[in-house]
Amino acid sequence: MRRYLPVVAVVLAWAGAVHAKGLLIPEDKSLPPLAMLNHKVTIAIEDQVAVTKVEQTFRNHTPRPLEATYVFPVPRGASVNKFTMWVGDKQVAGELVEAAKAREIYTSIVRRTQDPGLLEYMGNNILRMRVFPVPANGDQKVTLSFTSVAQNENGLVEYIYPLKTDGKSTATLEEFGITASIKSQHPIVNVYSPTHAIAVKRTNDKEVTVNFDRNQGLLDKDFQLFYAVGDKEVGLTAMTHRPIASENGYFMMLISPKVEMSKSYEIPRDMVMVLDTSGSMRGIKMEQAKKALKYCLDNLGPKDRFAIMNFATTVNKYRDKLTDFDKDQVDQARKWVDQLEATGGTAINDALAAALDMNSGDMGRTLTVVFFTDGQPTIGETNWDRILKNVAAKNAANTRIFTFGVGHDVNATMLDTLSEQTRAIATYVRPEEDIEAKVSGLYSKISHPVLANLKLSAGKDVSFLEVYPPQLPDLFHGTQLTVIGRYAGKGPTALHLTGSVGAETREFVYEMTFPDKSNDSKGFVEHLWARRKVGYMLDQIRANGEKKELVDEVVLLAKKYGITTPYTSWLIVPDGPMPVVGRMQNQADWAALRGINAAGAMPASGGFGGGAGLPGAPPALTKPGQKEAEKVADFAKKVQDKPGDVALRRGGLADEELGKAAAAKGEAKQLLSEAKDKKEAYDNAARYFHMQNKDGVQAGKLGVDLSIQMNNLRNQARLEQTACRNVANRNCVELGGVWIDEGYAAKMPTCTVKAMSDAYFRILEKHPEMKDVFQLGNHLVWVSPSGTALILDTNDGKDKLTDEEIDKLFVAQK
């Protein structure tokens, strides 16, 4: 048997390929870049001037001192005017290499490390210095600081820190974190990262702190941070993307109130808390729910009024009418909550009717209903369609129903619809989760409404289409609302944001220009729009059953943008952060993790994926004496005889590898288990959809699972890892570490090029757009415009191609 790529579990591969930038490369070319242990970034931005300090620690895994070169890419578009470099406590001389010369350096590094992720920086300047000696079996700390000017485009400031690489130099990363402080002469209105799930803390309107650590997202892309400034009470920041002038564009709007808001924006509320006390709530659930109710009571505002009721077979009230906030009344209400007991059935319809009857009719006050239930209706009206109609008939525009589904014995679609139709949020508390923690987390976000009944519109030359969410939720103090949609038209226009503060309507106007064509710098907007649209379409299918046009549109978008759905569950990639590896116990552990053999040399690296035993998948990692790797061309023919076959192969591979979750450990075990559960839910949903079995996808554990996943899609605001990518207008799917064009067929003519060869880099010189294709990895199959499949392979293929041969690949078929 010929040996192919080293095969790693499809979702464990990234445990040995964590990404972070900066390389310490030994002069001994038989050695790989040194392992990175720690990576700490501190950024201070003041009126666009950014001072970035980087601390990195590397380990020399060999028993001898090493001479090495440290290289660091200058962030794209940054104008660096000062930098200092330290080795230990000594300042050392480095050099800033301009882009033209830096290209040669990057090329040599890419060749040596076999790391196509570094192609991202081929057009950048580079910081470089010599480091000697790096102690044997010891650690080397490098500190770097530089000053740059963050780009400002129409009031939107962008900062980028380079992280992207798929090399093994950082496989041993133990600690990673970014902290950024932003100061401005003008109020900072919106802060956003499309690449990482940042935590934002606002000291005041002109000072913000941003944090990101390894537990908050993937480290597989550059850290990108946007912020905007403005003087309005409510800030609106717009980002647009329009790659094709003849088609509608995409937009993202970030809306947030100032930290130091005028007291005129305090909206008085009527808070109605409704608790299911049926027999199934008995025990720990009941105790947690009581604590949650008391948390809500303790956090009422001085202008608020409240009501509490519980329901089982009947509905019981603390008072027959709303009670003004008063310490004594709150104390009495807390005692009433303590007396509640779990017994009886579940009268959901009657409880909702009683809550809505508390509406005073005062349009200057928002009626907020917090509704807890752990079951489905068993008393009175039990048809959830009719319950929803009854609620709609009694509802008013100023009512918000925040639902909490406790456990799995709930109708999730009903709870979702109750919240969605009233501009609120549905939350689910799993059996192992704490009700009080869930409630307090949401309540803290919705405790201070600023604007209700929001509406967003543009001037006559621009119109908005397919906006998500379709009904804008209320805007709360300390939160940021993200609205994504498409736009028609072009040019300067006035955006109008209206909302109500009590009985008063307020309007904010923002001047914006919508381009007729743009570059790809904000391409993430299109991807996030697609995910949100898919989430809403799947909700329609779940509520009303399958319709062919909806299913076709879901599949089309899912395959183009790499979205995992019940119809494309084979695209499953674990959600959550890229795990960094814990502390290794000995040198053998370090070497094994990083794929380093006894001589210190690194074998050919695999990509994301793999799976032995699946027909058509690469064979397992071979032992000494076995034959060389299987050619990528031969592998591609086996797994995709005709276009689309790779999807079936990948589905089976995902099932096999996710099945290994029980044997995994630590963080990887958790992420594997979550991915396994998600795929099983999607596969079950697909079966129920096909059978037109609505009950199966609306209630029980599957209903809750789908509600949570659809909510994640409907509100997605970050890029994520995917197993299907559209590069150079071709859809490619990853299978066992190889990216294969969906349009590839086994009978197609091929041209195999050796990865990192002269031919490889000559293609990049003549066609720079191929950088996006080559960054997928060193093992791929991509159908060129001529109809010939261009194949990359580390162990096979041509080292050289003439310009004429390259040109033929890129001449479109007639």
Side-chain angles (χ1 to χ4, degrees), residues 568-608:
T568 53
S569 66
W570 46 273
L571 289 175
I572 188 75
V573 174
D575 290 332
M578 184 81 74
V580 295
V581 180
R583 187 172 301 279
M584 297 292 101
Q585 299 302 312
N586 52 53
Q587 295 298 326
D589 286 341
W590 288 103
L593 176 67
R594 301 182 65 241
I596 301 168
N597 61 29
M602 184 186 296
S605 61
F608 181 92

Side-chain angles (χ1 to χ4, degrees), residues 60 263 287 360 465 565:
N60 175 5
K263 290 188 178 297
E287 294 307 310
S360 65
L465 315 161
T565 73

